[in-house]
Amino acid sequence: MSRPEIEVRGLHKSFGDNEVLRGIDLEIGQGEVVCVIGPSGSGKSTLLRCVNLLEEPTRGQVFVGGTEVTDPDVDIDAVRRRIGMVFQQFNLFPHLNVTENLTLPQRRVLGRDKATAARVAAENLARVGLSEKADAYPASLSGGQQQRVAIARALAMGPEVMLFDEPTSALDPELVGDVLAVMRRLAEEGMTMMVVTHEMTFAREVADRVVFMDGGVIVEDGRPDRVIGDPRHERTRHFLSRLLDPAMAEVEEETSDQVGKSGT
Amino acid sequence: MSDTDVRLQPRKKGLTRRQKRGISRGVQYAVFAAAVIAFAVTADWGRLRNQFAQADIARQMFPDVITLALKNTVLYTLSGFVVGLVLGMVIALMRLSSVGPYRWLAGVYIEIFRGLPALLIFIFVGVAVPLAFPGTEIPGGTYGKVAIALGLVSAAYMAETIRAGIQAVPKGQTEAARSLGFSPARAMVSIIVPQAFRIILPPLTNELVLLFKDSSLVLFLGVTLEERELSKFGRDLASTTANSTPILVAGLCYLLVTIPLSFVVRRMEAKAREAIR
């Protein structure tokens, strides 16, 4: 593996007194697909959001494509152009139609002309299978369609890395498949991807590596069949058993280890 | 335990809920009818008609009441609205700034101009400023003065409305824009403000209605004949004819604009509610 595409060194993040990340070291190589799993409040979303500096780390360094993101003098807008991000809540721009959602960022941020932006938008809408929705407004689309448009919007900027923050968690179960199919194809095309998810099947089949986080640290990191199929740590086993077979879980006391607010 | 038993027992005496409701409604209609009859009997209809509804005086007001007075009222209102909107936008952004003194200044402005009567601002712009700085001339004459006075007053209200609108846009919108590489300023202009204005269109239109009425304060600036707006026009004619019909006509002209505008606001609000659902 040459120089890692994403590199995280000694990352700490606190919200007030609440230490959500307690020293994270992580490398993701070019073209690698890494799924980050873990209980809610384990800090996995916060870690992802530190990679493109939507959250400012308290301590530590983050490099993307060799550029230090955490450098106070870095042109963060330029770095973010190379990092696509997909959110749990889609965050499409509701006042713009689908095509405008894809063309406005290209034109305002990359300075592409109208024709080029429209061509790139059409290509990427085709990539996520939504060419026929080009003129629709986000509110008229299903959640799954909105999320695919959001992926296309990020791709239209030509990113080198894609971050996915629980991309299917807000979807009705029957719509999850379409979004995962788009992500799977993206992985096959060689995109470097960091995916925070609860979709174990996706992690097992698509990811090159699975990272299990709990209490603000990385507990386990390895190939999916190893981490999911044969976890070494009790905490991983416990989490996986509750996730894979929720009906069998016992009622348990809340532990102070569950840091962070829900959703992080 | 025992009160459950009481509640379960059938009511034995007194009126039922339905009977009470019927009596209450009957009393309300009776009071209303009595008031209408009392007014119709006691009012001096001839005198009222003479004072407020003299057709020839009303006819004499046209076309000037429209081509001059209403036109000026609209002009004053719109110029004040534009100044207020631009100034309000600046103050709203200052209020949301990360620089402390800007936030503080904007807060002081809003508190001062929301707390003062509009009339006082008009007197300030029309009388105090020329007295304090002799020789300085507000560009645009009366129109300029009105634009500034109305603008100063409405900017304070509009700033708070715009700020609320900007804050009502979900945080995810900013995050999405920033993650695509928008700078903070570009994200604000291209993504946040357009959505904020959709949210605040009804309250902004309401502000327009308020300004429309407040433009009558021009009365206190001392205007030329050509600069008169509805209230001044109506009052002048009322005193020359010694009759109140012009006041009534001027009032109807205000309503000609404000009632449709209020209707539009209600429609927009209903539509916005639908969009949320």
Side-chain angles (χ1 to χ4, degrees):
Chain A
M1 198 191 301
S2 58
R3 194 188 59 198
E5 192 68 28
I6 300 175
E7 188 180 357
V8 177
R9 282 191 210 151
L11 192 71
H12 288 255
K13 172 68 184 174
S14 302
F15 293 103
D17 291 337
N18 186 6
E19 194 173 27
V20 179
L21 297 179
R22 313 175 176 201
I24 301 283
D25 292 283
L26 182 68
E27 288 187 2
I28 297 177
Q30 205 169 11
E32 216 179 0
V33 177
V34 174
C35 282
V36 183
I37 62 172
S40 69
S42 59
K44 52 194 195 303
S45 281
T46 307
L47 170 62
L48 192 80
R49 291 162 59 87
C50 280
V51 172
N52 71 349
L53 222 65
L54 279 185
E55 299 291 354
E56 192 106 28
T58 316
R59 201 141 45 86
Q61 289 174 301
V62 176
F63 296 85
V64 174
T67 311
E68 187 186 344
V69 178
T70 39
D71 179 352
D73 292 323
V74 78
D75 179 356
I76 189 62
D77 297 328
V79 177
R80 283 181 177 142
R81 277 171 225 159
R82 313 207 317 247
I83 309 172
M85 179 141 185
V86 175
F87 298 86
Q88 184 178 348
Q89 299 295 339
F90 330 132
N91 293 345
L92 291 179
F93 304 134
H95 61 302
L96 304 175
N97 72 25
V98 166
T99 298
E100 289 162 347
N101 261 279
L102 270 69
T103 52
L104 184 82
Q106 294 183 62
R107 299 192 63 199
R108 292 279 185 279
V109 176
L110 302 177
R112 284 184 185 151
D113 63 76
K114 209 171 173 176
T116 312
R119 185 174 50 73
V120 175
E123 282 168 13
N124 282 290
L125 279 182
R127 227 166 143 184
V128 299
L130 284 174
S131 296
E132 82 277 19
K133 296 291 184 186
D135 299 325
Y137 277 84
S140 70
L141 302 180
S142 74
Q145 290 170 334
Q146 288 192 50
Q147 192 60 297
R148 281 146 69 198
V149 172
I151 294 173
R153 180 177 68 179
L155 290 176
M157 306 298 281
E160 294 154 23
V161 174
M162 285 286 286
L163 308 177
F164 293 86
D165 188 4
E166 303 202 23
T168 57
S169 297
L171 298 179
D172 290 333
E174 78 274 19
L175 302 175
V176 169
D178 291 339
V179 172
L180 291 182
V182 168
M183 290 169 62
R184 180 193 294 262
R185 178 168 335 150
L186 203 55
E188 284 161 3
E189 287 169 9
M191 178 63 78
T192 308
M193 291 164 64
M194 184 169 171
V195 186
V196 171
T197 187
H198 290 295
E199 296 294 333
M200 286 306 131
T201 322
F202 179 81
R204 195 194 284 266
E205 290 174 12
V206 180
D208 298 304
R209 260 164 66 206
V210 170
V211 170
F212 173 70
M213 283 182 71
D214 194 12
V217 295
I218 292 179
V219 177
E220 228 166 312
D221 179 351
R223 290 182 36 203
D225 51 351
R226 230 267 297 122
V227 176
I228 298 174
D230 178 25
R232 303 273 154 84
H233 288 264
E234 176 51 35
R235 279 202 275 181
T236 320
R237 272 200 290 275
H238 184 70
F239 169 73
L240 286 170
S241 71
R242 289 180 75 88
L243 193 71
L244 298 174
D245 199 0
M248 294 306 291
E250 305 279 332
V251 176
E252 53 186 48
E253 293 290 320
E254 291 292 324
T255 56
S256 57
D257 214 28
Q258 301 263 321
V259 290
K261 32 190 197 344
S262 64
T264 53
Chain B
M1 292 302 115
S2 60
D3 26 278
T4 25
D5 295 338
V6 170
R7 259 193 284 130
L8 287 174
Q9 271 169 18
R11 187 182 280 277
K12 288 203 182 99
K13 53 182 176 178
L15 298 165
T16 66
R17 212 150 56 86
R18 193 165 52 126
Q19 285 168 325
K20 277 188 191 164
R21 212 186 304 146
I23 290 171
S24 161
R25 191 170 301 157
V27 168
Q28 291 182 52
Y29 274 115
V31 169
F32 178 72
V36 169
I37 291 165
F39 179 73
V41 169
T42 54
D44 185 342
W45 287 105
R47 191 187 172 85
L48 279 177
R49 202 169 154 275
N50 210 20
Q51 262 303 310
F52 287 102
Q54 285 218 8
D56 53 324
I57 293 180
R59 215 171 297 129
Q60 176 190 329
M61 293 174 72
F62 288 91
D64 278 3
V65 68
I66 302 292
T67 56
L68 179 82
L70 183 61
K71 186 201 77 180
N72 274 336
T73 293
V74 169
L75 270 180
Y76 291 143
T77 307
L78 288 182
S79 56
F81 187 76
V82 169
V83 171
L85 193 62
V86 172
L87 192 60
M89 187 77 215
V90 171
I91 293 166
L93 291 175
M94 282 171 69
R95 196 100 170 87
L96 295 167
S97 164
S98 53
V99 181
Y102 282 159
R103 283 200 306 272
W104 181 80
L105 224 91
V108 168
Y109 180 94
I110 290 167
E111 288 310 323
I112 288 178
F113 281 91
R114 278 201 311 188
L116 291 176
L119 176 55
L120 200 75
I121 310 293
F122 269 84
I123 295 171
F124 182 80
V125 171
V127 180
V129 171
L131 275 181
F133 309 100
T136 54
E137 192 56 37
I138 292 173
T142 306
Y143 291 98
K145 281 184 199 164
V146 177
I148 287 174
L150 280 181
L152 284 175
V153 176
S154 60
Y157 292 95
M158 288 204 239
E160 282 295 84
T161 308
I162 295 170
R163 179 191 57 77
I166 287 174
Q167 287 179 330
V169 177
K171 203 165 145 262
Q173 292 291 311
T174 312
E175 290 185 348
R178 297 285 279 137
S179 75
L180 286 162
F182 282 83
S183 68
R186 269 208 188 290
M188 185 60 92
V189 172
S190 301
I191 306 297
I192 307 304
V193 168
Q195 293 185 54
F197 268 90
R198 270 161 199 244
I199 299 171
I200 61 173
L201 208 55
L204 274 189
T205 313
N206 252 332
E207 183 63 31
L208 190 64
V209 172
L210 292 179
L211 278 183
F212 195 71
K213 298 184 288 175
D214 278 350
S215 67
S216 61
L217 295 169
V218 175
L219 205 63
F220 294 91
L221 285 181
V223 294
T224 65
L225 285 179
E226 283 72 41
E227 289 167 352
R228 287 180 302 175
E229 42 64 69
L230 282 173
S231 293
K232 171 88 171 145
F233 186 85
R235 195 186 76 157
D236 286 0
L237 226 71
S239 47
T240 50
T241 58
N243 189 281
S244 304
T245 308
I247 307 275
L248 190 83
V249 174
L252 289 175
C253 286
Y254 278 108
L255 296 179
L256 204 66
V257 175
T258 52
I259 288 177
L261 266 182
S262 303
F263 177 74
V264 169
V265 172
R266 275 200 302 279
R267 281 288 298 272
M268 284 193 295
E269 282 171 344
K271 243 181 130 180
R273 266 198 302 277
E274 238 166 68
I276 289 166
R277 247 184 268 138

